[in-house]
Amino acid sequence: MKTIFIKLKKNKRVKKYFWITTSIIFMVGLWWILAETFFSQTEVIPTPIEVMRQMGQSAGTRMLWINIWNTLWKVLVTFLVSFLLSFLLAVLAAWRDEARHFISPIVTVLRALPTIGVVFILFMVLRGQNIVAIVIASLMIFPVMYENFYAALKEVDQKLIQLSKVYNISFLKQIRVIYIPHLMPHAFASSIAGIGMGLKIVIAAEILSVTFSNTLGTAMVIANMDGGGMLFMWILVAVLLSFVLEGIVRLIAYFAMPWKRRKGGDSK
């Protein structure tokens, strides 16, 4: 035991994964206690073992993967649209004050929009679950990503920009040497937050504008009507999908920003 604590103090990576593992054990333990006590007489919250059994049975079926894919592609489209639009408008706003003043009220309104109300309006107008989910998720994610990009652009060291002009460094090289290294950590942080938020909003839109299409949102509605523990299984599938998407973004960030690893990383 003493050796473990010494390693935790000396090795940040060991410390990191120790506390991550402890957190997961705590959540699963709390879930199990609630399932066996407060909700033991109902089927609202099944035990982890029951959910794992249901997931194992469903993993071999084609329907599970169809539901995941029909939600996943909307999340990816939403993320790409929000990322590109927020980045381009943030660049425009950082470049011209007139653009910033014009965009600012729009971002404020979008940030304050009630998700449920907008879903109902868009569903009546657009009459399609897929496009409603993409539009509503894009509207919700865009303000968050835009503000992160704009803040990152305004934080670029102006002394470096002036110095590059003194030495006649081309604008393309300024982008490669100054802007990209500065913006990449913010871009990946925004991507992690945006893709997780996008998944939640897309599923919420699928639930509120439910049709007979095969999606995670529709599967949750059907599971809720049927009763039993299947609803919790679909919730867990959504959580795991979110972990996978965020993990992929973090992995890309790890290899895309080698200078972050050279600064010391987590291994010291």
Side-chain angles (χ1 to χ4, degrees), residues 11 79 109 146 172 182 198 213 221 226 245 267:
N11 194 312
F79 170 74
V109 170
Y146 166 82
L172 290 178
H182 178 77
S213 60
V221 172
D226 292 342
L245 292 174
S267 60

Side-chain angles (χ1 to χ4, degrees), residues 51-209:
V51 172
M52 290 299 106
R53 185 174 64 249
Q54 291 170 343
M55 190 172 291
Q57 294 171 350
S58 300
T61 64
R62 186 165 172 262
M63 188 57 63
L64 174 73
W65 302 105
I66 290 175
N67 288 341
I68 291 174
W69 170 247
N70 286 340
T71 295
L72 178 60
W73 75 260
K74 284 179 280 189
V75 175
L76 296 177
V77 170
T78 295
F79 170 74
L80 289 174
V81 170
S82 302
F83 186 95
L84 293 174
L85 186 61
S86 59
F87 177 74
L88 293 174
L89 291 181
V91 170
L92 186 61
W95 179 46
R96 301 290 298 182
D97 286 340
E98 296 87 346
R100 176 171 58 86
H101 295 318
F102 179 81
I103 295 169
S104 181
I106 298 174
V107 171
T108 302
V109 170
L110 290 177
R111 192 170 54 239
L113 283 176
T115 305
I116 294 177
V118 177
V119 168
F120 288 151
I121 293 172
L122 289 178
F123 189 66
M124 287 187 292
V125 173
L126 299 176
R127 295 290 180 181
Q129 186 197 60
N130 291 337
I131 189 66
V132 168
I134 292 170
V135 171
I136 189 64
S138 299
L139 291 176
M140 297 297 109
I141 297 171
F142 165 75
V144 177
M145 300 191 78
Y146 166 82
E147 290 177 346
N148 287 340
F149 279 128
Y150 177 75
L153 286 166
K154 298 304 288 185
E155 289 173 4
V156 174
D157 192 342
Q158 294 302 310
K159 291 181 180 179
L160 289 177
I161 303 299
Q162 294 299 326
L163 192 62
S164 65
K165 291 179 179 178
V166 170
Y167 287 96
N168 293 321
I169 296 175
S170 67
F171 182 63
L172 290 178
K173 191 171 183 179
Q174 289 179 37
I175 293 175
R176 181 170 57 86
V177 176
I178 299 174
Y179 285 99
I180 290 179
H182 178 77
L183 288 175
M184 283 184 74
H186 297 274
F188 281 114
S190 296
S191 298
I192 291 169
I195 205 161
M197 186 187 303
L199 178 61
K200 290 191 292 186
I201 297 172
V202 165
I203 292 175
E206 290 172 346
I207 292 172
L208 293 170
S209 59

Side-chain angles (χ1 to χ4, degrees), residues 232-246:
F232 209 81
M233 189 209 76
W234 287 113
I235 292 173
L236 186 58
V237 167
V239 171
L240 293 175
L241 180 59
S242 180
F243 272 112
V244 169
L245 292 174
E246 291 184 16

